[in-house]
Amino acid sequence: MEPEHLAGVGIAFLGAPAQGAEPNVVELADGAGVCVVQRGRGGGKVYVAPDETLLFVPSAMDFDTGLAVFLGGARTPVTH
């Protein structure tokens, strides 16, 4: 999957950003996916794998800790 597509999956999961708080997208090493970082109050991070599964972590969790959990296989259940 293209990083832009995966970023769109993460942005859709997070919902509309607060005005002036566009999310940052970080491409993960070794083709592991992307991380979409939503700044501001109530924000968080969504790590999105190439198969479009994802892991949401709250803003209180630092990037590296969230990445380790994501790479370890943890995922957030997504309901439609």
Side-chain angles (χ1 to χ4, degrees), residues 2-19:
E2 292 293 320
E4 297 81 14
H5 175 79
L6 297 177
V9 171
I11 291 167
F13 178 83
L14 289 170
Q19 187 174 7

Side-chain angles (χ1 to χ4, degrees), residues 9-30:
V9 171
I11 291 167
F13 178 83
L14 289 170
Q19 187 174 7
E22 291 300 315
N24 291 334
V25 178
V26 178
E27 193 169 343
L28 304 177
D30 300 324

Side-chain angles (χ1 to χ4, degrees), residues 13-14 38 42-47 54-59 75-76:
F13 178 83
L14 289 170
Q38 187 177 49
K45 294 177 260 324
V46 176
Y47 298 84
L54 53 86
L55 174 68
F56 172 79
V57 299
S59 59
R75 297 295 188 265
T76 299

